């Protein structure tokens, strides 16, 4: 079932105390302009390893509420017609989802994904006579495709999922296996080449669903060790007016507008809704991820490449890459909360952030305590001149960036670090009742308590970066935002430090996240855009 949310134009400008705490989510998003697409210089040269979005939420699929869904997206801005090789995953890369379940800024569980391209080398007899040669076809399909490992597929992608305990580079690792049959080789659907090859959207979805695998997670207790995994192309789920935003917010004044305006969602275009991405989606029992008394988990994704890559002057036949690789894994992409590297980290440190671990986030503290985006917004957006908050260091942003929100998603014993955090005891909200503003909209199952596809991280982040949290904090430090746990950092986070005042609580980017189509079931992101239609 596909679900499209209606625009809510009746927002209450008075937020309750516990709801306003939710605005803290935007700490790292700081002016959410686009999720993590092509965010650093080096990653633009290796797009197959570029992590774009990370979602982590309790499942709202019927009868699946005890499960956590993790979705890691890679390979941004895919055009459906991008053949003839389309967007296979990199067999020389290592894709990972990391889980910290005790607040120590170290991963306790890592899910590693390795891919393989299997070329059948379908050949056709071309010519006549007894010596007619068989010639390899130039395409990845030789006819219509509709089944798992379809015989018409010339190139079949498979992958393995390895579960690593207590550090991603140690020997405590086991391959996840299919619950039925025990195979550790998992199949990935071919990208949506077009309707002639793969049928209409319903047919492609049925084909893709055949690639949802039931697997057993090693190391989890019986009753919590059954999971589902899917890797494949999906429609881009993030809504943003990408080109306009990065051209110094080159839009009408209404593009950064008051959410109470009835026409707020009509002012800008979602410029990437005709694009696809590749998702690694895992649905796993909450007690498998949080088996102890600590029920707040942290998560982030990475991609790594081998330290040495040498061009092969005479590439081998097949469908592997034309490089020889070796050496240790080198991390080239990292993503937890959305937009951190894209619009928070300075240009000189973007590659460094992509290579970093949460335990080393102290080196980037100044980018959050003294962010540049509010000042840039106040310089270039009509109507927002000289409106950047003045409470330095920005303890309002530092709280959520480093620790999570007290009473919402902060671990009991937290080591300050940046990652997405989810309270696994918060029940999911049915999809029909979800609020795109998440916690700030009185929906505690949404962003920043994890992140669901429908959550409008842009709007919530605009509220936070332009001082909405300090307005909510009041003159009596009602939200406790004047300090940062475990540090001596303090600031006067109150309405007097927010030149924009109450208006900061209703900022809106005019792009309708709630109009994006999603599925109401795993893997939740919508069927991709086909390369061609009948």
């Amino acid at each position: 079932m596909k679900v499209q949310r209606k625009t809510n134009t009746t927002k209450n400008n008075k937020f309750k105390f516990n709801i306003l705490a939710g605005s803290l989510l935007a700490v790292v998003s700081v002016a959410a302009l686009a999720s993590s697409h092509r965010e650093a210089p080096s990653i633009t040269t290796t797009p197959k390893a570029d992590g774009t979005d990370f979602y982590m939420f309790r499942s709202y699929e019927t009868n699946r509420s005890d499960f956590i869904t993790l979705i890691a997206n890679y390979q941004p801005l895919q055009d459906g017609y991008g053949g003839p090789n389309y967007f296979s995953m990199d067999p020389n890369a290592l894709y990972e989802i990391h889980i910290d379940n005790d607040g120590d800024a170290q991963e306790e569980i890592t899910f590693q994904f390795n891919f393989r391209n299997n070329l059948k080398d379908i050949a056709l007899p071309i010519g006549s006579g007894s010596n007619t040669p068989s010639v390899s076809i130039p395409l990845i399909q030789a006819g219509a495709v509709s089944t798992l490992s379809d015989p018409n597929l010339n190139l079949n992608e498979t992958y393995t999922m390895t579960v690593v305990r207590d550090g991603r580079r140690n020997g405590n690792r086991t391959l996840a296996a299919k619950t039925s049959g025990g195979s550790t080789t998992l199949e990935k659907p071919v990208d949506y080449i077009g309707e002639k090859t793969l049928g209409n959207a319903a047919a492609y979805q049925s084909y893709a669903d055949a690639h949802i695998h039931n697997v057993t997670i090693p190391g989890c207790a019986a009753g919590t060790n059954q999971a589902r995994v899917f890797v494949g192309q999906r429609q881009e789920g993030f809504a943003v007016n990408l080109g306009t935003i990065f051209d110094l917010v080159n839009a009408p004044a209404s593009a950064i507008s008051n959410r109470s305006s009835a026409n707020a969602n009509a002012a800008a275009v979602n410029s990437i809704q005709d694009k696809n991405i590749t998702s690694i989606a895992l649905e796993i029992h909450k007690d498998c991820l949080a088996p102890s008394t600590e029920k707040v988990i942290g998560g982030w994704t990475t991609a790594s490449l081998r330290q040495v890559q040498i061009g092969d002057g005479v590439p081998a036949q097949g469908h592997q890459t034309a490089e020889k690789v070796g050496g240790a894994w080198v991390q080239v992409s990292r993503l937890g909360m959305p937009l951190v590297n894209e619009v928070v980290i300075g240009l000189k440190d973007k590659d460094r952030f992509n290579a970093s671990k949460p335990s080393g986030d102290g080196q980037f503290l100044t980018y959050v305590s003294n962010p540049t985006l509010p000042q840039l917004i106040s310089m270039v957006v009509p109507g927002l001149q000289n409106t950047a908050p003045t409470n330095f260091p920005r303890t309002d942003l530092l709280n959520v960036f480093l620790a999570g929100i007290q009473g919402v998603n902060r671990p009991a014993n937290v080591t300050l670090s940046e990652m997405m955090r989810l309270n696994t005891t918060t029940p999911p909200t049915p999809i029909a009742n979800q609020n795109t503003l998440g916690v700030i909209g009185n929906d505690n199952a949404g962003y920043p308590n994890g992140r669901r596809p429908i959550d409008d991280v842009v709007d919530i982040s605009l509220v936070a970066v332009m001082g909405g949290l300090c307005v909510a904090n009041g003159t009596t430090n009602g939200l406790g935002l004047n300090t940062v746990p475990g540090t001596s950092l303090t600031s006067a986070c109150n309405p007097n430090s927010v030149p924009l005042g109450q208006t900061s609580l209703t900022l809106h980017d005019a792009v309708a996240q709630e109009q994006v189509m999603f599925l109401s079931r795993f893997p939740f992101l919508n069927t991709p855009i086909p390369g061609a239609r009948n």
Side-chain angles (χ1 to χ4, degrees):
M1 177 182 178
K2 296 181 182 179
V3 176
Q4 184 175 19
R5 294 296 306 277
K6 293 181 179 180
T7 303
N8 184 353
T9 58
T10 57
K11 280 291 167 216
N12 190 339
N13 290 343
K14 256 181 109 177
F15 300 107
K16 296 180 181 178
F17 172 89
N18 63 325
I19 303 307
L20 276 166
S23 296
L24 280 147
L25 68 101
V27 64
V28 291
S29 310
V30 185
L33 304 180
S35 205
S36 194
H37 300 59
R38 294 174 53 83
E39 76 288 345
S42 289
I43 201 63
T44 62
T45 68
T46 53
K48 287 180 180 288
D50 188 356
T52 66
D53 281 285
F54 178 46
Y55 302 93
M56 181 168 67
F57 55 93
R58 273 187 65 170
S59 176
Y60 42 86
E61 181 177 347
T62 303
N63 299 322
R64 303 294 289 184
S65 62
D66 284 340
F67 289 82
I68 304 297
T69 298
L70 309 168
I71 304 175
N73 287 345
Y74 292 91
Q75 300 200 62
L77 306 178
Q78 298 177 18
D79 288 311
Y81 53 81
N85 288 295
Y86 297 94
F87 301 94
S88 59
M89 299 294 270
D90 188 349
N92 290 330
L94 178 65
Y95 302 87
E96 298 175 290
I97 301 174
H98 310 276
I99 300 296
D100 170 16
N101 58 25
D102 62 7
D104 67 350
Q106 305 281 348
E107 64 270 20
E108 277 67 55
I109 309 174
T110 293
F111 302 98
Q112 295 181 341
F113 296 81
N114 296 89
F115 291 85
R116 181 176 179 81
N117 296 329
N118 306 292
L119 181 66
K120 294 178 183 176
D121 192 24
I122 296 174
L124 299 176
I126 304 299
S128 61
S130 59
N131 294 319
T132 298
S134 291
V135 183
S136 298
I137 68 171
L139 305 179
I140 65 173
Q141 85 279 28
V145 174
S146 62
T147 62
L148 189 73
S149 301
D150 196 289
N152 280 333
L153 266 182
N154 195 26
L155 180 71
N156 183 40
E157 274 189 277
T158 60
Y159 62 97
T160 57
M161 182 176 76
T162 304
V163 181
V164 188
R165 303 278 177 174
D166 300 320
R168 56 177 160 164
R169 298 293 183 257
N170 66 31
N172 186 3
R173 56 184 58 236
T174 311
L175 286 172
K178 292 182 182 179
T179 302
S180 175
S183 174
T184 57
T185 298
L186 307 172
E187 295 86 4
K188 172 183 175 292
V190 70
D191 292 346
Y192 199 174
I193 297 169
E195 292 185 348
K196 186 174 182 179
T197 298
L198 288 147
N200 61 18
Y204 184 84
Q205 190 56 55
S206 178
Y207 163 74
D209 285 348
H211 296 78
I212 298 175
H213 303 293
N214 295 312
V215 296
T216 300
I217 303 297
C220 291
T224 71
N225 62 352
Q226 299 303 304
R228 295 192 290 183
V229 63
F230 169 84
V231 179
Q233 191 178 52
R234 298 281 91 188
Q235 183 182 11
E236 174 63 73
F238 189 78
V240 65
N241 193 0
L242 195 62
T244 293
I245 289 297
F246 284 116
D247 186 23
L248 297 178
V249 195
N250 183 10
S254 57
I256 301 294
S257 60
N258 190 310
R259 174 168 272 270
S260 62
S261 169
N263 296 318
N265 279 306
V269 175
N270 181 6
S271 58
I272 61 174
Q273 266 304 276
D274 62 345
K275 306 297 182 184
N276 296 323
I277 43 79
T278 301
S279 291
I280 297 175
L282 176 63
E283 182 195 67
I284 186 168
H285 199 282
K286 59 184 178 62
D287 294 337
C288 180
L289 295 179
S292 64
T293 57
E294 178 56 73
K295 296 303 179 184
V296 174
I297 61 173
W300 67 100
T301 72
T302 61
S304 300
L305 299 172
R306 289 296 186 182
Q307 192 172 35
V308 177
Q309 299 186 60
I310 302 174
D312 192 341
V314 185
Q317 290 183 319
H319 200 279
Q320 305 306 310
T321 56
E323 294 88 27
K324 295 181 179 180
V325 300
W329 290 111
V330 176
Q331 182 179 303
V332 297
S333 176
R334 171 189 168 188
L335 179 61
M337 296 281 276
L339 309 161
V340 179
N341 203 0
E342 197 153 37
V343 297
V344 178
I345 304 300
L347 192 58
K348 69 175 183 179
D349 283 328
K350 289 182 179 295
D351 290 332
R352 183 183 293 271
F353 181 86
N354 268 347
S356 68
K357 301 177 181 179
S359 57
D361 282 343
Q363 64 184 306
F364 306 114
L365 182 111
T366 302
Y367 287 121
V368 183
S369 65
N370 298 73
T372 58
L373 254 294
Q375 185 65 30
L376 287 172
I377 288 174
S378 71
M379 290 167 56
V380 302
V381 178
L384 294 184
Q385 289 86 353
N386 302 315
T387 57
T390 58
N391 58 302
F392 299 112
R394 289 292 298 274
T395 53
D396 51 332
L397 302 184
L398 285 165
N399 267 279
V400 69
F401 180 78
L402 298 171
I405 303 166
Q406 184 63 48
V408 177
N409 64 342
R410 180 182 296 175
N413 298 297
V414 63
T415 298
L416 301 181
S417 54
E418 186 276 308
M419 62 184 70
M420 186 171 289
R421 292 182 170 90
L422 173 70
N423 188 332
T424 63
T425 67
T426 303
T429 302
I431 190 167
N433 299 327
Q434 290 176 12
N435 192 302
T436 59
L437 294 183
V439 175
I440 199 175
N442 204 18
D443 182 359
N444 285 348
Y447 190 62
N449 187 23
R451 180 188 176 189
R452 303 166 303 193
I454 195 65
D455 291 332
D456 196 333
V457 297
V458 175
D459 283 2
I460 307 168
S461 300
L462 282 171
V463 169
V465 72
M466 296 308 291
L469 302 180
C470 290
V471 172
N473 200 39
T475 57
T476 61
N477 193 28
L479 297 179
L481 301 182
N482 287 344
T483 60
V484 179
T487 76
S488 60
L489 296 173
T490 63
S491 77
C493 176
N494 58 54
N496 295 328
S497 65
V498 184
L500 199 55
Q502 290 287 328
T503 303
S504 65
L505 299 179
T506 56
L507 288 175
H508 178 57
D509 75 329
V511 177
Q513 176 70 44
E514 53 265 54
Q515 295 300 314
V516 179
M517 297 288 292
F518 298 108
L519 304 178
S520 61
R521 59 172 178 84
F522 186 82
F524 295 101
L525 298 187
N526 197 23
T527 306
I529 305 297
R533 300 187 184 276
N534 283 333

